[in-house]
Amino acid sequence: MQALPDTLCYLNGEYTPVSKAKVSVLDRGFIFGDGIYEVVPVYGRKLFRFDEHMARLARSLASLSIDNPHSAEEWLERCRRLIAELPEEDQMIYIQVTRGVAVRDHAMTKGIAPTVFMMVNAMKLPSAETLKKGVACVTASDFRWERADIKSTSLLGNVLARQISVDAGATETILMRDGLLTEASSSNVWVVRGGTVFGSPKSKHVLEGIRYELIRELCEEEGIAYDLRPISEAELRGADELMLSSASKEVLPVTQLDAHKVGDGQPGPVFARLHAAYQRAKAAQSI
Ligand SMILES: Cc1ncc(COP(=O)(O)O)c(C=O)c1O
């Protein structure tokens, strides 16, 4: 087991080492997974796509009828305080808001203060070798609930899905619902066919990653066609290139799917262009 991090974290107004931060066992996050989260990348001590992450955090809270406990400026101030604490320039901020502490009852308790937790860790990006070789993925049926669009801390379905790839020695589990691609256990999936980048349509079955819009912008910059439409299993399996995206994976080439080569089994040219464009975006746009 990895040693637990003991960096500074934020809990309900206090900055404290992670080992000292304590929440009530009656917190609805602990009892029901009744909360939401965000993961914001930080490059060179600057927050990447912060406004977009704040907008999604607000949407997630609204979908659970939890009032946003902070303004964007207050969130920013707290993020900056945590960023200043770590020696690493590139970091990941984790933000979690739960409904709060209450007598156990499924009904949404009113009038309680949300629990706010934030922590920061050094960013762990895919290595140069991984980017050169690509990663292996496996497929599975998407057995998660019907509100995968909410970035909720109720992640048991995603945990079970991820473990399928862990057990198979692969990096991610790509999920299919009713014969169509949804996403992966903790990433969005991009299918390249005939030079076009295809993604699943935004729906209740897919978490809209912050990279959805970013990849659209990068494709536009690069003159690569981009389209969101239902993607069949046959299209997934017959892809020229496959990619994953997430805050910590950025864009990552998938070169094996269920032990078969994707395309020629090497990271492809569309990946290479998007990855380079992503690196330029990191350098250009941060708060
Ligand atoms: C289920 C799921 N889909 C997609 C993503 C990608 O989202 P983002 O690009 O905002 O990191 C994540 C990120 O963790 C995820 O958990």
Side-chain angles (χ1 to χ4, degrees), residues 37-39 41 53 56 92 144 148 151 155 158 172 175 183-189 206-212 245-250 278:
Y37 73 108
E38 271 302 319
V39 178
H53 281 280
R56 185 171 64 183
M92 287 293 230
R144 301 171 306 158
K151 199 162 172 67
L155 284 171
N158 302 63
E172 253 290 26
L175 301 169
E183 57 178 336
S185 75
S186 61
S187 344
N188 292 120
V189 179
V206 177
L207 178 79
E208 186 184 337
I210 298 305
R211 270 125 287 277
Y212 251 74
S245 71
S246 75
S248 59
K249 296 182 186 82
E250 300 186 340
Y278 199 115

